[in-house]
């Protein structure tokens, strides 16, 4: 290939652990209720990984499903990027264990850590590497077992999260025209470490030598999320030369129904253009965007040629958006 390259997104897949935990089940162990959780968040249930399931197991299942959907053999994969904040172990990277489980011994595999924005970060990094000629086919995976870092006695956080994994396959193609090409058309990443204390885990290898538990100032996170997401979506559209009305589907990070509604309103987009899975999956951090994408592709809502805006915000703070022409 000689000219500029574009990363076409040629398939997607996902995996959810079998065990489903309802709000009513949580209300047996913490002082909460199905009504409170649904009203404040839109969440009805979440999937929780089995004790023996690690993040790399969830990621590998999602990767296999995405490769099958794309019709790509594992031997073609030259790059694996996994977005996760809940790796199996402090090291090695989950991506190397996905590589091992898929039976791949060539190419590169590494993790990206941007918490709930992780998938947008991983997609942006993988897209840049594909366009730079580092790999022709890349697997981009978001996978989390957030159930392992939740304080199950803290009702303000434990009701909000779930486990799962989602993946996409990228393939290098000649770029032609940003208005007609399929694939990743533009993306933007941001971070601001001053907001560390709003959303963090109170442990880690270099601070406490423990894993720690997730802590969050929910109200502040909410306010920043709506501002930051609406602004990054605008930036990505400007960069690519599109307008909000051109978007067929917003595929947002699934943290809270009210964040999705407020962001859509700020952008002047109707909610029937927003893919919502938070009711079934809760917040699965880096897995939530590819899980939502896979749900809407597999149920036929997202079709080849549709213009998608993927966006997310997470701890750090980190946030970002990516514009993708599907299929
Ligand atoms: N069940 C019942 N009551 C609960 C509860 C629960 N699970 N969690 C909190 N409460 C209580 C609080 O203790 C508080 O009680 P008080 O008024 O007696 O002190 C009351 O509900 C209101 O709490 P508040 O935190 O102000 O509620 P809220 O409307 O802001 O909703 C969140 C809380 C967490 C749902 C909301 O702030 C949110 O979604 N924030 C964004 C979080 C997020 O998405 N983070 C991830 C981004 S990646």
């Amino acid at each position: 290939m000689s000219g500029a390259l574009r990363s076409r997104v040629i398939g997607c897949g996902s995996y959810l652990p079998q065990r489903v935990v309802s709000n009513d089940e949580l209300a047996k162990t913490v002082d909460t209720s199905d009504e409170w959780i649904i009203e404040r968040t839109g969440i009805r249930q979440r999937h929780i990984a089995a004790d023996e399931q690690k993040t790399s197991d969830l990621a590998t299942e999602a990767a296999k499903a995405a490769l099958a959907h794309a019709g790509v053999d594992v031997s073609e994969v030259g790059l694996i990027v996994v977005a996760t904040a809940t790796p199996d172990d402090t090291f090695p990277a989950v991506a190397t264990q996905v590589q091992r489980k898929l039976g791949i011994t060539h190419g590169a595999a590494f993790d990206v850590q941007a918490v709930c924005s992780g998938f947008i970060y991983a997609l942006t990094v993988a897209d840049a590497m594909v366009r730079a000629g580092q790999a022709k086919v890349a697997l981009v995976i978001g996978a989390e077992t957030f159930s392992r870092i939740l304080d199950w006695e803290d009702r303000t956080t434990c009701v909000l999260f779930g486990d799962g994994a989602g993946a996409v396959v990228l393939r290098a193609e000649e770029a032609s025209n940003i208005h007609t090409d399929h694939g990743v058309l533009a993306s933007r990443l941001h971070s601001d470490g001053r907001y560390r204390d709003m959303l963090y885990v109170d442990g880690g290898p270099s601070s406490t030598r423990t894993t720690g538990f997730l802590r969050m100032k929910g109200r502040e996170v909410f306010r920043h999320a709506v501002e930051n997401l609406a602004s990054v979506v605008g930036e990505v559209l400007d960069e690519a030369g599109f307008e909000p009305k051109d978007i067929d589907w917003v595929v947002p990070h699934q943290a809270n129904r009210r964040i999705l509604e407020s962001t859509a309103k700020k952008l002047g987009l109707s909610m029937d253009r927003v893919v919502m899975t938070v009711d079934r999956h809760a917040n699965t951090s880096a897995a939530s965007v590819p899980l939502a994408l896979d749900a809407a592709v597999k149920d036929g809502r997202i079709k080849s040629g549709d213009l998608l805006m993927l966006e997310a915000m997470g701890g750090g703070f980190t946030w970002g958006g990516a514009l993708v022409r599907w299929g």
Side-chain angles (χ1 to χ4, degrees):
M1 284 185 250
S2 52
L5 297 177
R6 180 96 58 212
S7 309
R8 188 159 183 162
V9 189
I10 58 170
C12 60
S14 64
Y15 176 79
L16 288 159
Q18 210 176 358
R19 184 166 170 235
V20 174
V21 175
S22 67
N23 293 342
D24 282 333
E25 190 175 338
L26 284 182
K28 288 180 190 156
T29 51
V30 284
D31 183 13
T32 190
S33 66
D34 185 41
E35 297 73 39
W36 191 95
I37 300 171
I38 290 175
E39 195 205 310
R40 303 288 177 120
T41 71
I43 297 166
R44 292 174 184 275
Q45 60 173 48
R46 68 286 295 139
H47 290 250
I48 302 291
D51 285 348
E52 68 280 6
Q53 279 184 313
K54 296 179 189 168
T55 295
S56 66
D57 297 317
L58 277 50
T60 303
E61 291 306 317
K64 285 181 183 166
L67 289 169
H69 184 233
V72 163
D73 188 76
V74 287
S75 61
E76 295 179 61
V77 176
L79 173 68
I80 303 174
V81 185
V82 173
T84 189
T86 46
D88 300 5
D89 302 300
T90 303
F91 75 76
V94 169
T96 63
Q97 299 315 295
V98 173
Q99 188 193 31
R100 176 174 67 84
K101 287 172 186 175
L102 291 175
I104 303 173
T105 52
H106 61 269
F110 61 91
D111 290 356
V112 161
Q113 218 293 39
V115 206
C116 298
S117 315
F119 186 77
I120 307 294
Y121 270 68
L123 183 68
T124 300
V125 168
D127 169 49
M129 289 181 72
V130 165
R131 284 188 292 108
Q134 293 267 354
K136 285 199 175 69
V137 173
L139 257 174
V140 184
I141 307 168
E144 304 277 16
T145 47
F146 255 50
S147 59
R148 308 273 157 78
I149 56 163
L150 296 177
D151 174 352
W152 287 100
E153 291 178 3
D154 175 10
R155 68 176 184 174
T156 69
T157 53
C158 76
V159 303
L160 304 174
F161 297 89
D163 300 336
V168 298
V169 182
L170 306 183
R171 173 150 39 210
E173 276 197 3
E174 295 270 357
S176 163
N177 178 337
I178 197 165
H179 285 276
T180 51
D181 282 356
H182 286 215
V184 182
L185 305 179
S187 68
R188 267 295 159 93
L189 303 177
H190 286 280
S191 58
D192 189 340
R194 288 176 300 172
Y195 296 101
R196 184 254 179 210
D197 293 349
M198 303 267 169
L199 179 51
Y200 65 103
V201 166
D202 63 3
S206 184
S207 54
T208 59
R209 303 177 195 206
T210 63
T211 308
F213 292 118
L214 182 147
R215 306 292 175 203
M216 178 169 69
K217 295 187 176 125
R219 216 165 246 203
E220 277 88 338
V221 175
F222 193 109
R223 195 166 50 80
H224 285 279
V226 176
E227 289 292 325
N228 291 343
L229 290 171
S231 125
V232 80
V233 166
E235 275 179 65
V236 175
L237 287 172
D238 282 351
E239 188 185 319
F242 288 93
E243 292 177 35
K245 67 169 173 50
D246 298 321
I247 299 173
D248 293 300
W249 292 101
V250 181
V251 188
H253 170 48
Q254 308 284 321
N256 182 310
R257 178 177 43 76
R258 291 186 299 145
I259 294 181
L260 305 194
E261 287 168 352
S262 304
T263 311
K265 197 170 166 199
K266 232 174 154 49
L267 291 165
L269 291 169
S270 113
M271 275 305 280
D272 38 284
R273 290 265 157 244
V274 178
V275 177
M276 193 165 73
T277 48
V278 68
D279 53 333
R280 290 173 282 153
H281 304 164
N283 181 347
T284 57
S285 182
S288 90
V289 169
L291 269 166
L293 174 68
D294 191 46
V297 167
K298 301 293 162 67
D299 71 18
R301 273 179 291 170
I302 294 178
K303 296 185 175 60
S304 180
D306 281 355
L307 192 64
L308 315 181
M309 175 60 72
L310 280 45
E311 42 94 327
M313 145 105 186
F317 288 148
T318 56
W319 64 104
L323 192 66
V324 171
R325 174 103 41 208
W326 181 252

